[in-house]
Amino acid sequence: MNSNLLIEQCEKKAQNLFNQIDEIALYNQNKVLNAFRENRISAMHFQPSNGYGYDDIGRDTLNRLFATVFHTESAIVSPLIANGTHALTTALFGVLRPGDLMVSISDKPYDTLDEVINGNGIGSLADFNVKYQQVDMIDGEFDVQSIFTVLKLKPKLVFMQRSKGYLWRDALSIEKIKKITEIIKQTSPNTIVMVDNCYGEFVEKIEPTDVGVDVIVGSLTKNPGGGIAPTGGYIAGKSDIITQISYRLTAPSLGLEVGSYFASYLPFYQGLFLAPSTVKNAIKGNILAEYVFNELNFITMPSVGKMPTDIIVSVKFNRAEELVKFCQIVQKCSPIDSYVTPEPWDMPGYNHQVVMAAGTFVQGASLELTADGTVREPFVAYMQGGLTYEHCKLALIEIVHELQK
Ligand SMILES: *Cc1c(COP(=O)(O)O)cnc(C)c1O
């Protein structure tokens, strides 16, 4: 079929979900706008600072702004956090002490945390005698029975990953996070519940911290950076927990008193303001992709017609060549480095070759339209982001055209 026609038909089918997405975006935009008004944001908050950064009003106010949006007592938002992995590492080391038990209940945490948790002799949590256990999910649902069992050990921390990451499962809905958090808090009230919130922000009307989660962690080159924050991460939650974590970010007792940034804070503020709308565009792109790949007889996660709960759509291809070609087309449709052809390569830390399309303004920013996959069965590609819906649509038109050849 003509690719333009196919896309138009898919768009019609997606209309119902699109309307729901619009409503969520309006709700979240209002939430963010009100947070700006409440914190009386003005141009002075964008000013750079230097040296120790005492009384850095831009930094302090940005922290408060995120805390307002996520309905938490406190937050750390900082360009000094290198990426999502660094934010998560800082949060984990901030609260865990030797002998403590950490339990992940949503399968294995994101790949980059493997060495943070279990690495040997590199300053991992294991090196500091923090114990780790894992409860895998069963068909995308929490294994409540096993979670009850492990809660008897009174873990210091229970960890969940909201997004699907590189796993073949749906992202956790807030409803699911709410139910399991209630169980954890009833069974072991002192256990800290932490959620890796990467890719989840503004996908629903509420966040994990609205349903009893103690602390959430994320990256500013993903959803809450709105596509323009140049770097950084955030950690938001209860103030005693955030204080502990701030001592790990800088130094014990110094916490958030120090830390300067000799560039404008403007993109962090503006990025947060744009985030609900940018996330909306990315999700609409995901939904369109679900319908399109369904027409082409590929299986996707989420499956066609289902409301996404993060900004990633996974596609199962039949052959390695299809996966590679798909990533190459996404690259070709990128505003940056469109002339580059990505090839599978042996990326450090992976056992199989990986192929990646990342023609992004901010290096590696996956709120921008990107795609990647590991070249091994079952040949799954992960397509995420999209600053504008139109960009996603144009890329999909080209993908349909090329894959049908
Ligand atoms: C991206 C991501 C991370 C790590 O973030 P980086 O910025 O790549 O270090 C952690 N967890 C999840 C679920 C992610 O999507």
Side-chain angles (χ1 to χ4, degrees):
M1 196 196 291
N2 172 297
S3 51
N4 282 297
L5 194 65
L6 188 143
I7 298 278
E8 260 169 45
Q9 286 180 355
C10 289
E11 255 182 337
K12 284 209 185 85
K13 290 180 193 161
Q15 206 52 54
N16 189 17
L17 285 179
F18 281 7
N19 292 343
Q20 292 178 52
I21 302 287
D22 285 341
E23 203 229 319
I24 293 170
L26 180 66
Y27 182 92
N28 283 326
Q29 186 70 76
N30 191 41
K31 176 163 61 172
V32 171
L33 173 62
N34 284 336
F36 273 74
R37 297 201 287 200
E38 194 180 320
N39 287 283
R40 303 170 68 90
I41 304 305
S42 67
M44 69 179 171
H45 297 119
F46 306 152
Q47 295 302 316
S49 64
N50 58 34
Y52 290 104
Y54 294 135
D55 301 318
D56 180 340
I57 191 173
R59 176 198 65 210
D60 293 345
T61 311
L62 190 61
N63 291 341
R64 271 207 305 282
L65 184 63
F66 268 65
T68 308
V69 169
F70 291 135
H71 303 130
T72 58
E73 292 170 358
S74 193
I76 302 170
V77 189
S78 179
L80 306 181
I81 296 175
N83 57 16
T85 306
H86 184 202
L88 287 158
T89 301
T90 308
L92 290 171
F93 274 90
V95 297
L96 292 164
R97 298 288 178 272
D100 283 348
L101 172 65
M102 163 186 179
V103 180
S104 171
I105 59 167
S106 55
D107 297 302
K108 189 173 97 55
Y110 199 69
D111 297 54
T112 55
L113 292 179
D114 289 357
E115 298 287 296
V116 174
I117 295 168
N118 270 322
N120 191 7
I122 55 170
S124 68
L125 288 166
D127 285 342
F128 284 90
N129 194 30
V130 171
K131 312 264 189 295
Y132 173 76
Q133 286 192 26
Q134 183 174 311
V135 180
D136 288 339
M137 300 182 81
I138 302 173
D139 297 330
E141 301 295 329
F142 287 117
D143 177 355
V144 178
Q145 220 43 53
S146 301
I147 291 171
F148 266 125
T149 306
V150 79
L151 285 174
K152 293 203 183 100
L153 302 172
K154 305 286 174 220
K156 177 71 164 287
L157 181 112
V158 166
F159 185 89
M160 284 176 254
Q161 179 183 304
R162 184 172 172 188
S163 141
K164 62 175 86 57
Y166 290 111
L167 302 166
W168 187 262
R169 67 155 165 92
D170 270 324
L172 304 177
S173 66
I174 295 291
E175 194 52 38
K176 271 189 193 167
I177 294 174
K178 179 179 180 201
K179 283 192 185 136
I180 201 68
T181 302
E182 279 167 6
I183 289 174
I184 296 163
K185 289 291 177 186
Q186 278 162 12
T187 318
S188 178
N190 293 328
T191 295
I192 295 169
V193 179
M194 182 183 288
V195 169
D196 174 353
N197 209 28
C198 284
Y199 285 135
E201 300 90 352
F202 305 121
V203 171
E204 297 192 45
K205 286 182 181 173
I206 53 174
E207 301 291 333
T209 40
D210 291 310
V211 295
V213 166
D214 297 303
V215 55
I216 52 175
V217 184
S219 161
L220 296 185
T221 60
K222 294 178 180 171
N223 304 18
I228 60 168
T231 184
Y234 78 89
I235 304 161
K238 298 229 167 78
S239 60
D240 54 337
I241 295 173
I242 295 300
T243 300
Q244 291 294 312
I245 295 170
S246 75
Y247 291 164
R248 189 47 51 198
L249 175 69
T250 61
S253 91
L254 296 184
L256 296 178
E257 300 294 326
V258 296
S260 63
Y261 185 58
F262 197 50
S264 174
Y265 284 105
L266 185 142
F268 300 99
Y269 285 91
Q270 194 172 5
L272 178 65
F273 183 72
L274 291 174
S277 182
T278 315
V279 168
K280 173 194 73 178
N281 293 333
I283 297 180
K284 283 187 174 176
N286 283 358
I287 291 171
L288 186 62
E290 287 168 30
Y291 279 97
V292 166
F293 284 111
N294 184 57
E295 290 294 325
L296 300 180
N297 291 319
F298 295 112
I299 298 171
T300 62
M301 179 74 84
S303 49
V304 68
K306 216 168 155 209
M307 189 70 169
T309 38
D310 64 12
I311 61 159
I312 312 171
V313 56
S314 323
V315 190
K316 240 180 219 172
F317 290 106
N318 304 313
R319 293 178 292 121
E321 303 84 73
E322 282 170 347
L323 165 64
V324 173
K325 193 168 170 191
F326 166 77
C327 290
Q328 290 176 341
I329 303 164
V330 172
Q331 182 76 37
K332 201 172 131 205
C333 294
S334 300
I336 310 302
D337 294 335
S338 58
Y339 55 89
V340 172
T341 307
E343 298 285 352
W345 64 299
D346 297 305
M347 202 166 128
Y350 290 81
N351 298 327
H352 297 265
Q353 289 206 314
V354 175
V355 58
M356 273 188 185
T360 56
F361 289 92
V362 172
Q363 195 188 89
S366 44
L367 179 58
E368 302 184 41
L369 184 61
T370 45
D372 53 85
T374 308
V375 188
R376 62 146 189 249
E377 299 231 46
F379 304 120
V380 177
Y382 301 88
M383 183 181 183
Q384 60 263 316
L387 295 180
T388 71
Y389 169 71
E390 290 75 14
H391 181 207
C392 301
K393 181 173 166 179
L394 291 169
L396 282 166
I397 290 173
E398 205 148 323
I399 287 163
V400 171
H401 184 70
E402 290 289 324
L403 286 180
Q404 279 189 327
K405 266 187 189 166

